[in-house]
Amino acid sequence: MPRIGMEPLRRRALIDAAIDAIGERGSLEVTMAEIAGRAGVSPALAHHYFGAKEDLLLATMRHILAELGRDLGEAVTGLEGLARVRAIIAVNFSQKQFRPEIIAAWLAFYVAAQRTPALRRLLRVYARRLHSNLVFALRPLLERDEAERTAEGIAAMIDGLYIRRALKDGPPDAASAIALVEDYVALRTGGLRHG
């Protein structure tokens, strides 16, 4: 007889196991059995909760994006201008986000999005939200076109720093990543460092 309330816990355990497996492998080439084993459940139960492996991987990316969105919402509450931009940058390089297994998952999902329409749509939603959050924060400081261009540059730097981090050994250096992006912001906003 199934235990009541176990489904959310098992789903979360499978998502965490998928993140770990993808992080270790560096790709989405992981099996449902491997993920289930890491989560301490049977492959049949994993299929029961998620269906195909692709469904579990999509749920995993949704989970990563939902956590990022919650953290971002909390970080920017009550902030404007450069303080809001800095908060957006900091969340993207937070200890929860900028860790090896999440970095590997992001890269694997970006690659998979080239051939998986559902992942592509999900990543486009993420990109649009990041862009609109940045433009909103930059509009009091820059003309519309400049705010758009600067937001695009910040997003590209965030993505690029995740890629560069994936190519290095050792723990991620969030402080240097944040400093690089903030230097770019300072250049684009005319050297304004406070706000």
Side-chain angles (χ1 to χ4, degrees):
M1 176 159 266
R3 287 185 276 170
I4 302 215
M6 288 303 292
E7 183 175 349
L9 297 174
R10 287 184 177 144
R11 283 179 172 273
R12 177 61 192 264
L14 284 161
I15 287 169
D16 290 343
I19 291 169
D20 290 343
I22 293 164
E24 187 175 294
R25 183 79 45 92
S27 77
L28 298 182
E29 300 304 314
V30 294
T31 66
M32 197 68 137
E34 180 183 351
I35 294 167
R38 284 175 182 263
V41 301
S42 71
L45 193 58
H47 283 288
H48 170 74
Y49 287 140
F50 289 102
K53 179 180 90 168
E54 289 72 29
D55 298 321
L56 172 56
L57 297 176
L58 189 59
T60 300
M61 192 67 222
R62 281 191 180 119
H63 171 77
I64 291 170
L65 289 171
E67 279 198 336
L68 179 63
R70 277 191 301 275
D71 293 349
L72 183 61
E74 290 173 14
V76 300
T77 299
L79 299 179
E80 297 178 356
L82 286 179
R84 189 177 181 97
V85 172
R86 284 192 194 106
I88 294 168
I89 294 164
V91 166
N92 277 277
F93 294 107
S94 70
Q95 196 171 30
K96 188 191 289 185
Q97 293 295 326
F98 200 56
R99 54 190 169 107
E101 60 274 17
I102 297 293
I103 293 167
W106 271 103
L107 295 180
F109 284 118
Y110 268 113
V111 170
Q114 300 302 305
R115 63 184 187 285
T116 308
L119 281 175
R120 185 177 307 118
R121 279 191 301 276
L122 196 56
L123 289 171
R124 282 184 178 155
V125 168
Y126 154 74
R128 281 194 300 269
R129 284 183 184 158
L130 176 60
H131 184 79
S132 67
N133 275 319
L134 288 166
V135 170
F136 178 80
L138 290 164
R139 278 297 289 129
L141 308 168
L142 301 168
E143 295 297 324
R144 180 86 185 162
D145 289 346
E146 287 301 308
E148 294 275 348
R149 200 171 5 261
T150 302
E152 187 68 25
I154 293 167
M157 288 190 76
I158 291 169
D159 289 345
L161 287 164
Y162 267 70
I163 292 167
R164 290 180 67 86
R165 175 56 243 155
L167 301 175
K168 291 183 178 180
D169 292 326
D173 183 1
S176 69
I178 290 169
L180 281 170
V181 182
E182 286 189 350
D183 284 349
Y184 170 76
V185 172
L187 288 171
R188 293 294 298 169
T189 58
L192 298 174
R193 288 242 174 228
H194 304 289

